[in-house]
Amino acid sequence: MSDENHRLIPLWMWVAVACAAVGAAVWLALNSRRPDPPESFRYDVGEFEQVEPERVIAIELAPITPGIPGLRALAATPDGALLVAGEKTLLVCGLDGVERVRYALSTTPECVAAAPNGRILLGTVNHVEVRDPAGKPEHSWAVPGERAHLTSIAADESSVYVADAGNRVVLRFDYGGELQTRIGEKDAARDIPGLIVPSPCFDVAFDNTGAFWAVNPGRHGLEQYRPSGELVSAWYRPSMAPDGFCGCCNPAHMAFCSDGALVTAEKGLVRVKLYSVDQKLLGFIAGPAAFRATPGGPFSPELDMPVLDLAVDAQDRILVIDGRANAVRVFQVKEPH
Amino acid sequence: MSAGNTVRRRDFLRAAAALGVGGAVWKAAAPAAGATVWQLDPQKCVQCGRCATECVLSPSAVKCVHSYQICGYCDLCGGYLQPSARDRDTGAENELCPVSAIKRTYIEDPFFQYTIDEALCVGCGKCVKGCALFGNGSLYLQVKQDLCVHCNECAIAKACPGDAYRRIPAEQAYLLKTRPEGGNGQE
């Protein structure tokens, strides 16, 4: 065999191939990065987070910062005051946020309400406390049931309604703490489907006509009950769409305006929305972007916190507790609805 | 003593050797005191999807596990249904899991049970994110110790953006979620 046959592949090419092989081996050994997870592994709710600006029907006013750690509950009184509860503290302030009086409490309330007779109602995990209009404790009682976990409280002239998420029931007491009615328990004979409460997001409220409403978070809607526990009406809207309620426990909070319009706040995809009395979506008070830890950034379960409570004040302004900011954010609907 | 009952030296040495080898095998197989394994802290998990792609195994040793104690048994389950699902049913177009590893079973109105088919699960955490975002967080990821090959340097831990991986004692090899105070899963 001649030398020319040996040089069909020149030596420098062998050297180049060997260098390339060694280089590739070194690169593979040092660079262990793998491809990013594919699109199919990503959970994306981006399209539902977008709210067209024309659908936002409220403007945000200056927030109220009561200076209480761990803001938890909020209520508006008919005479133009706000009740704000946080860590072992209850604050009464004006609509401008100026403090009127502050009470130190032995425990942190889960919920607070203003009764029409001027009394202040506080709910802890398993106790109800009634205070007179001057803030002096009048009466308190324990809620029956080992699993009691109160999440909301509302009252009319004669009764106190307590939402017990632990036992999935609304309890109606008189002002002396005597249990009158258990509301919302499944009863086929009375055509009551039963309250589904998967988490401690369970709100109750009165509308402008004095009718009592309870959120049924597992069915994604609201139910109206008589004081006797009869189910009057219900509407459910399970959907990710703007006019629906998504997740397992929404709407998480609700409140009524003076004209009967309904304000709801959702967790997960945090949205505050306004509905007409015939359950049509009027628009967004605030969309998910308003509650992002990072403006314009993606949802972060660690940093983003849901709305912790919701109220409508005597001027029909919508107040929400922003847990991340530890402040009461104030929204005003632009046009009468 | 009769001759038949006499233990010969060769038999004795064989028995001793067998005992020694058996003991060594048992010692090697049993976790030593202070042995640790890799595990994922569900509280730190950011559901990035890298557990599915970074593990040296394919499919990954990370699987979704379900705490029935925490689950709300929701009809509109954020961990089972696509965000844009048209219907709340088992239609493939409505399922969130890319490998259809979650089974939905009707219990009673309006409750459904969700079970993980571990053989199908790839550990992408997509359902975990949906459950955390809209539900009670009952779905979460764990390194299955029977599948894990216990690399000295875990490839997923190296890539984890949430710093959720750490070594924990082998005797308690899982970081299981329990029902939080005030939680209300439907037991």
Side-chain angles (χ1 to χ4, degrees):
Chain A
M1 200 176 284
S2 70
D3 280 354
E4 285 179 6
N5 285 342
H6 280 288
R7 289 174 190 163
L8 278 176
I9 300 173
L11 183 62
W12 65 267
M13 200 172 280
W14 284 109
V15 172
V17 169
C19 288
V22 170
V26 169
W27 185 83
L28 286 171
L30 296 179
N31 190 347
S32 60
R33 182 172 164 74
R34 298 175 189 218
D36 285 338
E39 200 64 39
S40 61
F41 287 2
R42 293 198 188 124
Y43 188 84
D44 186 12
V45 289
E47 64 174 300
F48 299 101
E49 292 187 328
Q50 305 303 323
V51 176
E52 299 89 353
E54 61 271 17
R55 300 198 76 168
V56 179
I57 58 170
I59 53 168
E60 184 166 6
L61 308 176
I64 296 170
T65 48
I68 303 172
L71 285 185
R72 190 73 192 85
L74 174 69
T77 68
D79 61 347
L82 296 179
L83 307 174
V84 188
E87 201 174 296
K88 294 185 177 180
T89 308
L90 172 67
L91 179 78
V92 181
C93 62
L95 296 184
D96 53 3
V98 174
E99 181 174 332
R100 293 182 184 173
V101 61
R102 181 180 291 239
Y103 302 104
L105 307 173
S106 57
T107 50
T108 300
E110 295 289 317
C111 46
V112 62
N117 52 25
R119 290 186 170 99
I120 297 169
L121 303 162
L122 293 168
T124 60
V125 170
N126 55 8
H127 273 76
V128 177
E129 183 178 305
V130 180
R131 291 182 171 231
D132 69 14
K136 186 181 169 192
E138 267 187 353
H139 193 49
S140 75
W141 63 89
V143 172
E146 284 182 12
R147 296 178 45 154
H149 189 105
L150 308 188
T151 52
S152 182
I153 193 166
D156 59 14
E157 293 290 350
S158 59
S159 302
V160 177
Y161 292 75
V162 177
D164 179 354
N167 293 303
R168 300 155 198 148
V169 67
V170 176
L171 303 170
R172 183 173 76 89
F173 296 95
D174 64 17
Y175 274 86
E178 196 73 32
L179 180 62
Q180 305 295 308
T181 325
R182 295 175 69 90
I183 298 173
E185 288 175 313
K186 190 173 184 175
D187 187 343
R190 299 167 79 191
D191 206 18
I192 297 173
L195 294 163
I196 311 298
V197 188
S199 72
C201 295
F202 181 28
D203 208 357
V204 292
F206 287 93
D207 69 13
N208 63 330
T209 67
F212 173 75
W213 291 85
V215 168
N216 193 335
R219 293 185 188 272
H220 309 94
L222 278 72
E223 295 172 352
Q224 186 195 336
Y225 290 94
R226 292 199 176 94
S228 61
E230 296 295 325
L231 179 63
V232 181
S233 68
W235 65 280
Y236 311 120
R237 204 156 295 170
S239 168
M240 290 282 283
D243 68 338
F245 304 114
C246 53
C248 75
C249 327
N250 275 319
H253 305 283
M254 65 161 174
F256 289 91
C257 298
S258 61
D259 62 356
L262 169 71
V263 187
T264 62
E266 293 166 62
K267 67 170 197 156
L269 200 60
V270 184
R271 319 187 273 201
V272 182
K273 300 184 294 195
L274 185 69
Y275 289 86
S276 64
V277 288
D278 57 348
Q279 297 106 41
K280 287 194 177 67
L281 178 65
L282 296 170
F284 285 80
I285 302 302
F291 297 95
R292 281 281 171 272
T294 312
F299 173 78
S300 162
E302 297 78 29
L303 299 175
D304 293 347
M305 288 185 72
V307 166
L308 297 180
D309 205 358
L310 168 71
V312 176
D313 71 13
Q315 296 176 0
D316 267 347
R317 298 183 313 171
I318 293 147
L319 313 170
V320 299
I321 294 182
D322 184 328
R324 184 175 51 82
N326 198 44
V328 178
R329 292 173 67 177
V330 184
F331 297 89
Q332 177 88 57
V333 177
K334 290 177 201 166
E335 300 287 335
H337 42 84
Chain B
M1 191 180 283
S2 69
N5 288 337
T6 304
V7 179
R8 289 183 301 178
R9 187 166 59 179
R10 178 173 294 178
D11 292 338
F12 174 79
L13 289 174
R14 277 182 183 161
L19 199 65
V21 170
V25 168
W26 179 82
K27 182 74 180 169
T36 57
V37 292
W38 285 106
Q39 193 47 271
L40 185 163
D41 185 346
Q43 307 298 339
K44 290 184 174 179
C45 174
V46 295
Q47 304 97 32
C48 63
R50 295 197 180 279
C51 290
T53 57
E54 297 288 337
C55 184
V56 295
L57 299 177
S58 182
S60 171
V62 177
K63 304 288 179 191
C64 178
V65 296
H66 193 191
S67 170
Y68 294 102
Q69 200 182 33
I70 299 173
C71 181
Y73 290 72
C74 306
D75 180 10
L76 181 54
C77 173
Y80 180 79
L81 295 167
Q82 291 270 11
S84 56
R86 288 185 59 187
D87 300 300
R88 281 170 283 152
D89 60 26
T90 54
E93 72 279 13
N94 299 322
E95 283 186 52
L96 180 69
C97 180
V99 293
S100 198
I102 307 180
K103 306 299 172 206
R104 170 180 158 110
T105 311
Y106 176 74
I107 305 295
E108 65 169 351
D109 181 49
F111 298 118
F112 289 80
Q113 188 181 54
Y114 299 92
T115 48
I116 311 297
D117 186 340
E118 195 179 298
L120 295 178
C121 178
V122 295
C124 67
K126 195 176 182 181
C127 60
V128 177
K129 192 155 200 164
C131 183
L133 187 53
F134 293 111
N136 289 352
S138 60
L139 296 170
Y140 59 106
L141 295 174
Q142 286 286 277
V143 178
K144 299 294 286 190
Q145 302 300 343
D146 53 327
L147 302 174
C148 178
V149 291
H150 308 292
C151 302
N152 193 31
E153 184 182 51
C154 174
I156 315 175
K158 203 174 160 189
C160 177
D163 200 21
Y165 278 78
R166 65 173 197 259
R167 294 197 76 99
I168 62 170
E171 302 90 65
Q172 291 184 318
Y174 292 93
L175 298 170
L176 300 178
K177 272 189 169 184
T178 53
R179 193 171 73 182
E181 191 182 342
N184 205 14
Q186 322 278 337
E187 305 90 83

